[in-house]
């Protein structure tokens, strides 16, 4: 019998060593596995290399991991945000290294790792400062750059629902990097709102098949959903608007999805 | 200065050139205004590179969905027929030449169509590129929407870019507050003048040898 469900967040992030390379899903706040990152901070690993589109905003999740001094290097496309103060400070103080990768190359390098591709030629960034030091090659009259796969020890991903085989569905644009990161790490850990019985997910609608997933952990429903239906009443960070249904629900919800 | 278009009027002007049925990506900032001016009833399908086709306008404040955002990380909505996909598919749509049009902002555009819009090269700046380089080389057409001049009064249309490039020879047309320019093998050609702006005035502002688009040889249908 296959059961990839783990009991709690501590178990979900167990075994992530100092110096590990960790992929973190999400685009901005959408799909960012905040609860898994909190658990990673509690677990104590440091000197991490983080592969993610952004480098965190505000004081939660990836931003807090950086603020806590656990990150040695960030591989990402867009670290700068209006609220990326923790990254900005660490970068300016020379406390972490940055590898800047155009977003599409970042995605394709992750996909290539998961698909067993040795390397590939991409037209993106030709003629720009980000092409420096890369092998150039002309194919059918167009210039390309050699790009290498990006793989990780662990991927931390935010999904909506999963079953015990590790099949995962996502929600709207929170899908973003989840499906490709799930394929590119030695250990893939997915946090979801709920774990459903085997067979409850429509096989035609499964986005990440369980073969790519090692651990799933349930973290509770998001404030803007009620019984799976969108009810709103929150801001972009998922914080309840004053007086909304989500606000009153938040008062009696413990451990709900942030 | 009543002879310059404001941002909304410029967005309306750009929107008027987008054909029904086009798949379009609107860059962060001013280009997102174009969405508000698409002709009613036209089915222009908006792509947002974080993983969606069929993006709709911003929701009412109470209906913000943190799982439904655009590339600028702002709340959006889902239109009937919308589709979600992961990042590798999303950028494959660009790189693979499936996207008809991309509209971007710019720091500089050169007369050979080079685009600089991601970095001013300031030594203390934190670098961030996002999807700009993928967008610049991916779409079939890349339009730039910008003021002609910087706040300091310098022309954004230049002989060659001094800022770090985003893409080489990728821009096909530039919509500015004073005129619309095509990028041609002979440099910038003025397609349309706004208000009282004249060709001589544009030559003076840009320092470039500008020509007028030869209407006789312009085949609008071929675009």
């Amino acid at each position: 019998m296959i059961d990839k469900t783990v009991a709690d967040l501590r178990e979900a992030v167990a075994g992530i060593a100092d110096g590990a390379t960790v992929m973190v899903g999400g685009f901005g706040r959408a799909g960012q596995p905040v609860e898994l990152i909190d658990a990673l901070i509690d677990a104590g690993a440091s000197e991490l290399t983080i592969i993610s589109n952004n480098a965190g905003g505000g004081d939660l999740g990836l931003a807090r991991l950086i603020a806590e001094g656990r990150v040695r290097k960030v591989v990402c496309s867009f670290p700068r945000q209006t609220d990326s103060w923790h990254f900005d400070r660490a970068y300016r103080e020379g406390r972490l290294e940055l590898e800047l990768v155009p977003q599409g190359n970042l995605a394709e390098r992750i996909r290539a790792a998961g698909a067993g591709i040795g390397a590939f030629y991409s037209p993106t960034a030709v003629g720009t400062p980000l092409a420096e030091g890369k092998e150039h090659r002309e194919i059918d009259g167009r210039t390309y750059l050699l790009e290498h796969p990006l793989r990780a020890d662990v991927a931390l991903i935010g999904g909506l629902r999963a079953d015990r085989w590790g099949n995962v569905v996502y929600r709207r644009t929170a899908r973003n990097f989840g499906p490709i990161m799930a394929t590119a790490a030695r250990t893939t850990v997915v946090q979801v709102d709920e774990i459903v019985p085997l067979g409850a997910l429509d096989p035609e609608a499964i986005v990440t098949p369980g073969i790519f997933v090692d651990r799933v952990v349930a973290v509770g429903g998001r404030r803007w959903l009620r019984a799976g239906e969108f009810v709103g009443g929150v801001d972009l960070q998922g914080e309840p608007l004053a007086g909304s249904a989500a606000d009153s629900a938040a008062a009696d919800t413990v451990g709900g999805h942030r | 200065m009543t002879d310059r278009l404001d941002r909304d009027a410029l967005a309306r002007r750009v929107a008027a050139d987008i054909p029904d049925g086009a798949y379009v990506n609107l860059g962060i900032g001013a280009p997102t205004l174009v969405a508000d001016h698409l002709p009613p009833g036209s089915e222009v399908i908006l792509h947002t590179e974080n993983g969606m086709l069929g993006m709709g306008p911003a929701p009412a404040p109470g209906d913000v969905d943190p799982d439904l955002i655009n590339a600028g990380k702002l709340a959006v909505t889902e239109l009937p027929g919308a589709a979600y996909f992961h990042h590798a598919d999303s950028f494959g749509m660009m790189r693979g030449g499936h996207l008809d049009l991309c509209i971007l902002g710019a720091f500089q555009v050169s007369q050979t169509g080079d685009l600089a819009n991601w970095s001013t090269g300031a030594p203390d700046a934190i670098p961030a590129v996002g999807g700009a380089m993928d967008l610049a080389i991916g779409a079939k057409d890349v339009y730039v929407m910008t003021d002609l001049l910087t706040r300091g009064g310098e022309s954004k249309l230049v002989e060659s870019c001094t800022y770090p490039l985003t893409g080489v020879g990728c821009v096909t047309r530039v919509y500015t507050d004073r005129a619309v320019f095509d990028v041609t093998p002979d440099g910038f050609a003025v397609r349309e003048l706004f208000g009282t702006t004249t060709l001589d005035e544009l030559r003076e502002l840009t320092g470039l040898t500008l020509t007028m688009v030869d209407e006789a040889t312009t085949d609008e249908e071929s675009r």
Side-chain angles (χ1 to χ4, degrees):
Chain A
M1 176 173 145
I2 297 170
D3 189 1
K4 296 179 179 177
T5 309
V6 296
D8 57 31
L9 286 158
R10 197 168 60 101
E11 200 182 323
V13 300
I16 301 179
D18 288 354
T21 297
V22 182
M23 285 181 181
V24 178
F27 179 87
R29 180 63 192 77
Q32 193 181 139
V34 174
E35 283 74 11
L36 285 174
I37 299 168
D38 283 347
L40 176 61
I41 293 169
D42 292 343
S46 64
E47 294 291 303
L48 300 171
T49 294
I50 298 295
I51 300 171
S52 191
N53 189 63
N54 305 105
D59 300 307
L60 282 179
L62 206 42
R64 190 160 83 89
L65 190 69
I66 290 169
E68 299 272 339
R70 306 296 180 78
V71 180
R72 184 187 71 78
K73 180 179 178 183
V74 174
V75 182
C76 76
S77 86
F78 209 86
R80 187 183 63 222
Q81 293 176 202
T82 49
D83 61 352
S84 61
W85 43 75
H86 290 303
F87 172 86
D88 296 1
R89 211 174 95 192
Y91 179 77
R92 291 219 157 95
E93 290 175 359
R95 286 188 282 118
L96 55 75
E97 185 189 335
L98 170 67
E99 180 182 345
L100 193 69
V101 183
Q103 204 168 333
N105 282 355
L106 181 69
E108 195 62 14
R109 288 176 65 189
I110 294 166
R111 198 198 69 80
I117 300 297
F120 60 94
Y121 287 99
S122 168
T124 301
V126 168
T128 79
L130 299 187
E132 281 164 24
K134 293 184 188 285
E135 182 192 319
H136 289 56
R137 178 156 171 183
E138 198 175 308
I139 303 170
D140 292 337
R142 192 175 192 193
T143 306
Y144 296 80
L145 304 174
L146 185 65
E147 294 289 347
H148 291 274
L150 269 175
R151 46 179 60 89
D153 298 305
V154 183
L156 304 180
I157 289 165
L160 178 65
R161 281 189 280 273
D163 60 28
R164 66 176 171 83
W165 280 13
N167 294 309
V168 180
V169 296
Y170 301 84
R171 188 163 182 276
R172 299 185 148 175
T173 57
R175 179 183 305 193
N176 56 63
F177 281 89
I180 51 173
M181 287 183 172
T183 69
R186 261 200 315 210
T187 302
T188 291
V189 186
V190 185
Q191 70 166 60
V192 290
D193 290 20
E194 60 172 339
I195 298 190
V196 298
L198 204 63
L201 297 176
D202 176 1
E204 291 284 5
I206 287 168
V207 177
T208 293
I211 191 169
F212 296 122
V213 174
D214 299 283
R215 300 173 192 168
V216 291
V217 61
V219 297
R222 0 195 138 192
R223 282 174 185 151
W224 50 98
L225 300 184
R226 191 78 43 82
E229 293 296 312
F230 176 73
V231 292
V234 297
D235 66 16
L236 263 180
Q237 306 306 313
E239 296 301 324
L241 302 174
S244 70
D247 190 26
S248 51
D252 48 47
T253 302
V254 178
H257 194 294
R258 285 202 303 245
Chain B
M1 297 283 279
T2 54
D3 56 341
R4 293 164 49 195
L5 296 194
D6 65 22
R7 280 193 162 188
D8 266 309
L10 185 57
R12 195 175 309 120
R13 178 63 195 82
V14 175
D17 282 352
I18 302 178
D20 191 17
Y23 289 89
V24 180
N25 184 296
L26 302 176
I28 294 168
T32 58
L33 294 174
V34 173
D36 300 334
H37 298 285
L38 294 169
S42 84
E43 290 194 333
V44 169
I45 298 174
L46 296 181
H47 171 262
T48 182
E49 62 264 31
N50 54 315
M52 181 186 196
L53 280 167
M55 175 175 69
D63 290 331
V64 165
D65 184 340
D67 296 323
L68 183 48
I69 61 173
N70 65 12
K73 303 188 180 81
L74 300 173
V76 292
T77 50
E78 170 191 291
L79 297 178
Y84 298 108
F85 33 84
H86 62 63
H87 253 75
D89 277 352
S90 186
F91 283 82
M93 286 174 197
M94 296 175 200
R95 214 190 290 110
H98 307 282
L99 210 62
D100 295 304
L101 175 62
C102 175
I103 301 170
L104 298 171
F107 297 144
Q108 291 177 325
V109 181
S110 85
Q111 56 188 355
T112 56
D114 294 352
L115 173 67
N117 78 347
W118 73 283
S119 164
T120 59
D124 60 333
I126 290 172
V129 64
M133 291 182 180
D134 308 276
L135 284 164
I137 58 97
K140 290 177 197 160
D141 271 306
V142 174
Y143 292 173
V144 161
M145 177 180 163
T146 180
D147 287 338
L148 178 63
L149 304 180
T150 65
R151 278 184 206 137
E154 287 172 24
S155 174
K156 291 189 173 194
L157 300 189
V158 293
E159 200 172 316
S160 63
C161 295
T162 53
Y163 289 146
L165 290 189
T166 308
V168 176
C170 54
V171 177
T172 48
R173 190 180 288 174
V174 185
Y175 291 83
T176 75
D177 50 344
R178 295 170 192 261
V180 182
F181 303 83
D182 278 349
V183 178
T184 77
D186 303 318
F188 289 112
V190 179
R191 185 176 185 81
E192 184 177 338
L193 295 161
F194 296 141
T196 58
T197 304
T198 64
L199 184 60
D200 281 340
E201 199 179 342
L202 291 176
R203 284 180 176 139
E204 195 172 321
L205 289 169
T206 62
L208 297 171
T209 320
L210 302 171
T211 54
M212 287 300 290
V213 168
D214 184 353
E215 294 296 337
T217 60
T218 301
D219 181 9
E220 193 61 36
E221 297 309 310
S222 73
R223 295 205 67 83

